[in-house]
Amino acid sequence: MSTFEGVFVNDQWLQSQFTQVELRKLRTKFVSARNQSGTVTIQDLPPVLATLKPFNEVSSEEDVKNTLNDSYSNLAKELDFEGFLRVYLNLQSRASAKMGTSKTFRTTSSFVKSGTTLLRHSISETEKASYVSHINNYLGEDKFLKQFLPIDPATNALFDLAKDGVLLCKLINVAVPGTIDERAINTKKVLNPWERNENHTLCLNSAKAIGCTVVNIGTQDLVEGRPHLLLGLISQIVKIQLLATVDIKKTPELAAMVEDSKEAEELMGLAPEKVLLKWMNFQLKKAGYKKEVTNFSSDLKAYAHLLNVLAPEHGTTKTLETKDPTERAKLIIEQAEKLDCKRYVTSKDIVEGSTNLNLAFVAQIFQHRNGLTIDKAKASLTEMMTDDESTSREERCFRMWINSLGVETHVNNVWEDVRNGWVLLEVLDKLAPGSVIWKQASKPPIKMPFRKVENCNQVVRIGKELNFSLVNVAGDDIVSGNKKLIIAFLWQLMRFSMLQLLKNLRTHGQGKEITDADILQWANMKVKQSGKRQMDSFKDKRLSDGVFFLELLSAVKKRVVNWGLVTKGESEEDKKLNATYIISVARKLGCSIFLLPEDILEVNPKMILILTASIMYWSLLQKSKGDDEDGNAPEQEGNAPEQDGNAPEQEGSAPEEEGNVAIDEGDGLSEMQEKTTESENNNE
């Protein structure tokens, strides 16, 4: 959860070379390069530039220094931020040339998390056309969007329509229904900058909550309609939709591919695309096809055999007999369409091996005809592997949170993926830099069990150093997959992250640690100012109607809640309406939260604490930037308050320079400075 001001430079061409997140990171590096006189010269840059990609992959600090010596005659020349960016681009072009010209450009690889390359961004027109078709199919009858649809794939209308944020929010709801309360979306033909920014903030925070990687995207990038970033985000959303059923919990028939509980556990730990490949090979083996398919490319024979075994009523030998690849691909698509599969690929896409579109094609086949059946024994196996509803919600919450941090390892299933300790070490290093002794850690794949124990022992050691409650907990408990202990550890990790963010905002305050009691009292004092009821604790059952949190959100930013949409919360249905609205309004404000409406309805004290702390952080951060009581920045023509709702790099570390704030009486915290942590255990 974060809120950011945009970073702008006068040279529009220079501005266009970077995303907002990239500009923020580079600005931080520029500030760190200042010498004792407070200026930055070219000769100050080698230590800073040598730590950045792609220089750190191909050059040492000495190499960077020599390149700068060759490029610039006056190394003592003072640089402003724009000058620094030009030096960076110049050096990057040399580094790209050194690595090979193919790395100079980035083609949007939509389904795969990719690194950031800053020179030229190109997009795949075939992928764009496919996603436009998807949007036209699924949103063509939407009450608001139908006035703008269908989109012509031959134009840039997709990127223009996405600039107000409505399309992306609606698309997220198509992928994971109910993620966004559509009452929170600003829908007008013409939106002002504030309303547009709120939609994009809601979009990015909601995208993170369903599993999208948005670490390189900010609201300003979406406002500008940057094609490569928009297409990348859209394709991730489409992927999540298409792979939603490729999960043993949602499609128990997948258990037909395993022999015992160990194989079932391994299957649950696989990414959906890996499960899809496993399913494809399982079916091909039935058809007598001996070659193993390892990726979604252009194996035309595999597609032909797959469709023949899944839909023998439409089977034909003509597909395999056809020698011309394009003609064979055309026949494959025609056969798939007989199963009512939507057209995501052209024959050219299949022949050329477009990974993303071929994945979409196979996922469509799986959705319409998976060809799996299971007996009673394997059906009971899947039942044993299924968590209760509460545990399943917590697993989802922690999985999405970890993936939002931008760590290298992607978590597909918390219970399986944390057992080797590696991803927990990555998270700890992100939240408490320098805490991990990497020389003592083993990176997956790990064959020797004792290496996993060593990793997890270090995890426990660091947890104890951070004052986590880990009595009688050892690394072996994580390796063995003790869900109760894993949940307890992850909860303390998430709480630590949130409290660190709040603590870092108070660098110039009285220096006391923020406690759970402080958060509770802050929220009560905010709501008390409007004369409304208080909450007794984070376990207060009255919170289930949602009214308190709507009052709190309104207290930190008056106009964010539309009270005409709020119910009294007297029936269960009304309570759920309020809960879904709360989550969307909080995300629209700038809170990166991962709870579900059920967490509010059931008053889950852990998630209630994180929700309250997130709202508190947003409120204090606005105050640190000099915004008014309503959370609005001082009025400047054409400027909207930036809330890009996205910056995992800030988790656990101090915000940029403007993020430090002295707490005054208006925050309701000055009188808490002497409070102790006596009530923390009651709220955990």
Side-chain angles (χ1 to χ4, degrees):
M1 185 240 16
S2 17
T3 304
F4 285 115
E5 292 182 354
V7 179
F8 300 97
V9 294
N10 292 326
D11 187 323
Q12 290 302 305
W13 177 87
L14 196 59
Q15 175 92 29
S16 70
Q17 303 305 298
F18 305 92
T19 67
Q20 279 295 304
V21 172
E22 291 163 355
L23 283 171
R24 283 195 294 272
K25 290 180 179 178
L26 288 171
R27 184 180 64 180
T28 300
K29 290 294 183 182
F30 174 71
V31 171
S32 72
R34 288 175 182 166
N35 52 40
Q36 292 182 344
S37 63
T39 61
V40 177
T41 67
I42 294 175
Q43 61 192 8
D44 296 321
L45 299 182
V48 173
L49 293 175
T51 64
L52 296 170
K53 288 185 178 182
F55 317 131
N56 58 2
E57 299 174 359
V58 294
S59 305
S60 64
E61 182 179 329
E62 189 64 27
D63 292 332
V64 172
K65 183 178 180 180
N66 291 335
T67 302
L68 292 175
N69 285 336
D70 294 339
S71 303
Y72 301 95
S73 57
N74 182 11
L75 298 180
K77 178 183 178 182
E78 288 187 15
L79 296 173
D80 58 10
F81 183 52
E82 289 192 17
F84 170 75
L85 293 178
R86 290 190 174 88
V87 171
Y88 178 88
L89 288 176
N90 176 48
L91 197 63
Q92 189 196 55
S93 64
R94 291 171 178 265
S96 298
K98 188 173 181 179
M99 290 189 296
T101 54
S102 62
K103 293 192 178 182
T104 302
F105 308 105
R106 175 169 71 186
T107 299
T108 301
S109 182
S110 25
F111 288 169
V112 185
K113 177 182 176 183
S114 60
T116 302
T117 308
L118 298 176
L119 286 183
R120 174 179 165 186
H121 305 288
S122 59
I123 64 171
S124 166
E125 290 296 331
T126 55
E127 286 187 24
K128 185 182 81 169
S130 179
Y131 304 141
V132 164
S133 175
H134 179 90
I135 290 167
N136 288 338
N137 285 331
Y138 283 94
L139 291 172
E141 297 304 314
D142 180 85
K143 290 181 180 179
F144 177 77
L145 290 175
K146 64 182 181 182
Q147 61 187 313
F148 306 108
L149 300 179
I151 301 169
D152 182 355
T155 69
N156 285 325
L158 169 63
F159 308 122
D160 292 332
L161 182 56
K163 287 180 180 180
D164 67 5
V166 178
L167 173 66
L168 294 173
C169 288
K170 298 270 189 178
L171 194 59
I172 286 172
N173 268 359
V174 169
V176 183
T179 299
I180 296 176
D181 187 330
E182 296 199 1
R183 296 175 298 171
I185 305 173
N186 298 319
T187 52
K188 294 190 305 188
K189 270 198 171 182
V190 180
L191 298 177
N192 66 41
W194 282 268
E195 293 167 330
R196 198 165 54 234
N197 190 76
E198 284 180 337
N199 281 351
H200 289 312
T201 303
L202 173 60
C203 163
L204 289 175
N205 282 319
S206 300
K208 283 196 288 184
I210 66 170
C212 293
T213 299
V214 297
V215 293
N216 64 334
I217 309 174
T219 54
Q220 187 62 31
D221 300 315
L222 300 183
V223 168
E224 293 173 4
R226 296 196 172 201
H228 67 288
L229 293 177
L230 278 169
L231 199 65
L233 180 57
I234 289 170
S235 58
Q236 286 188 75
I237 297 169
V238 172
K239 175 191 175 184
I240 288 168
Q241 177 187 343
L242 294 176
L243 295 179
T245 59
V246 187
D247 180 285
I248 197 169
K249 297 175 186 175
K250 295 180 180 177
T251 307
E253 294 85 357
L254 284 167
M257 303 191 300
V258 303
E259 296 298 328
D260 52 38
S261 59
K262 183 179 179 181
E263 287 189 8
E265 287 179 357
E266 291 174 354
L267 186 67
M268 288 179 67
L270 292 178
E273 48 266 53
K274 295 291 185 183
V275 176
L276 196 62
L277 277 175
K278 188 178 180 71
W279 166 79
M280 190 174 178
N281 283 308
F282 180 80
Q283 297 294 353
L284 289 173
K285 189 175 180 180
K286 286 184 186 178
Y289 190 71
K290 296 181 180 180
K291 183 180 176 182
E292 182 181 5
V293 177
T294 58
N295 55 58
F296 299 100
S297 57
S298 55
D299 192 335
L300 299 181
K301 285 187 178 180
Y303 285 147
H305 282 291
L306 178 65
L307 288 167
N308 282 344
V309 75
L310 291 176
E313 71 274 24
H314 300 307
T316 173
T317 58
K318 184 180 179 182
T319 308
L320 290 169
E321 292 169 353
T322 302
K323 301 298 182 184
D324 180 70
T326 302
E327 184 61 29
R328 179 183 287 179
K330 184 179 178 182
L331 292 171
I332 287 169
I333 293 172
E334 289 176 357
Q335 194 171 349
E337 287 180 338
K338 292 177 182 177
L339 299 178
D340 294 325
C341 293
K342 289 185 173 61
R343 183 180 283 249
Y344 281 93
V345 290
T346 63
S347 54
K348 181 181 178 182
D349 296 327
I350 293 180
V351 173
E352 293 182 353
S354 172
T355 301
N356 296 330
L357 297 183
N358 277 287
L359 184 152
F361 178 59
V362 177
Q364 272 280 296
I365 296 172
F366 177 88
Q367 284 185 358
H368 288 83
R369 186 78 65 90
N370 63 44
L372 298 171
T373 56
I374 54 172
D375 54 31
K376 290 184 179 179
K378 290 190 176 180
S380 62
L381 182 64
T382 60
E383 291 173 7
M384 290 172 56
M385 301 299 297
T386 303
D387 297 321
D388 62 76
E389 184 181 349
S390 176
T391 304
S392 180
R393 284 206 313 267
E394 288 186 301
E395 187 277 335
R396 173 203 163 278
C397 172
F398 291 126
R399 170 164 39 92
M400 298 304 179
W401 173 66
I402 291 172
N403 289 334
S404 77
L405 298 177
V407 296
E408 184 177 342
T409 303
H410 186 84
V411 175
N412 298 300
N413 181 285
V414 168
W415 314 133
E416 294 304 311
D417 294 348
V418 303
R419 290 173 62 179
N420 61 31
W422 182 262
V423 70
L424 293 177
L425 290 173
E426 287 185 307
V427 173
L428 284 164
D429 189 58
K430 189 85 174 180
L431 303 183
S435 61
V436 178
I437 304 174
W438 289 109
K439 289 182 179 179
Q440 297 177 7
S442 300
K443 187 174 183 178
I446 304 173
K447 295 182 180 180
M448 304 297 291
F450 76 92
R451 295 293 186 193
K452 298 179 183 179
V453 176
E454 286 178 345
N455 281 355
C456 292
N457 280 341
Q458 185 173 184
V459 167
V460 173
R461 173 186 64 76
I462 297 170
K464 290 178 178 178
E465 290 173 357
L466 298 176
N467 295 319
F468 291 3
S469 177
L470 297 170
V471 180
N472 296 324
V473 176
D476 193 54
D477 294 312
I478 298 175
V479 175
S480 62
N482 186 318
K483 292 182 181 179
K484 183 177 180 180
L485 291 178
I486 290 171
I487 285 177
F489 184 86
L490 288 172
W491 152 240
Q492 293 183 82
L493 201 54
M494 179 183 277
R495 176 178 171 274
F496 169 80
S497 170
M498 194 70 250
L499 294 183
Q500 282 296 104
L501 284 172
L502 288 167
K503 176 185 174 183
N504 288 335
L505 273 180
R506 304 182 63 211
T507 302
H508 299 305
Q510 280 82 355
K512 298 292 184 181
E513 295 283 338
I514 284 279
T515 67
D516 295 2
D518 291 335
I519 297 168
L520 178 68
Q521 190 166 347
W522 173 87
N524 277 333
M525 292 190 72
K526 276 290 181 184
V527 173
K528 185 179 179 181
Q529 291 169 6
S530 58
K532 303 299 180 179
R533 77 180 189 209
Q534 318 281 285
M535 64 171 162
D536 295 333
S537 71
F538 297 118
K539 295 179 179 179
D540 190 335
K541 292 300 180 183
R542 295 177 301 167
L543 296 173
S544 66
D545 65 14
V547 175
F548 177 87
F549 290 109
L550 290 165
E551 293 284 1
L552 180 59
L553 288 163
S554 183
V556 299
K557 188 171 184 179
K558 292 177 184 176
R559 72 176 189 84
V560 79
V561 175
N562 181 345
W563 287 100
L565 303 174
V566 176
T567 74
K568 293 181 179 180
E570 294 175 347
S571 68
E572 289 302 310
E573 183 179 351
D574 284 351
K575 287 180 179 179
K576 187 161 187 178
L577 283 171
N578 283 353
T580 56
Y581 188 55
I582 288 165
I583 293 170
S584 290
V585 169
R587 287 175 178 156
K588 178 179 178 178
L589 199 65
C591 301
S592 182
I593 48 179
F594 301 91
L595 77 168
L596 292 172
E598 289 76 11
D599 293 311
I600 297 176
L601 296 173
E602 297 171 13
V603 191
N604 180 330
K606 298 173 184 176
M607 296 301 125
I608 294 294
L609 169 60
I610 294 298
L611 172 61
T612 310
S614 298
I615 298 170
M616 178 181 178
Y617 176 74
W618 183 88
S619 178
L620 296 182
L621 189 57
Q622 300 315 296
K623 196 169 188 69
S624 77
K625 294 161 58 179
D627 292 358
D628 63 25
E629 294 180 340
D630 196 26
N632 294 322
E635 290 189 20
Q636 295 177 15
E637 186 175 351
N639 290 336
E642 284 290 332
Q643 310 158 3
D644 83 6
N646 159 53
E649 71 268 21
Q650 261 209 320
E651 295 284 355
S653 59
E656 295 180 64
E657 293 176 313
E658 67 269 24
N660 297 325
V661 56
I663 304 299
D664 64 25
E665 293 181 2
D667 298 301
L669 283 173
S670 58
E671 59 205 73
M672 301 180 200
Q673 299 307 316
E674 302 304 320
K675 284 193 70 70
T676 65
T677 59
E678 58 186 337
S679 66
E680 285 187 60
N681 292 332
N682 294 329
N683 292 321
E684 289 184 6

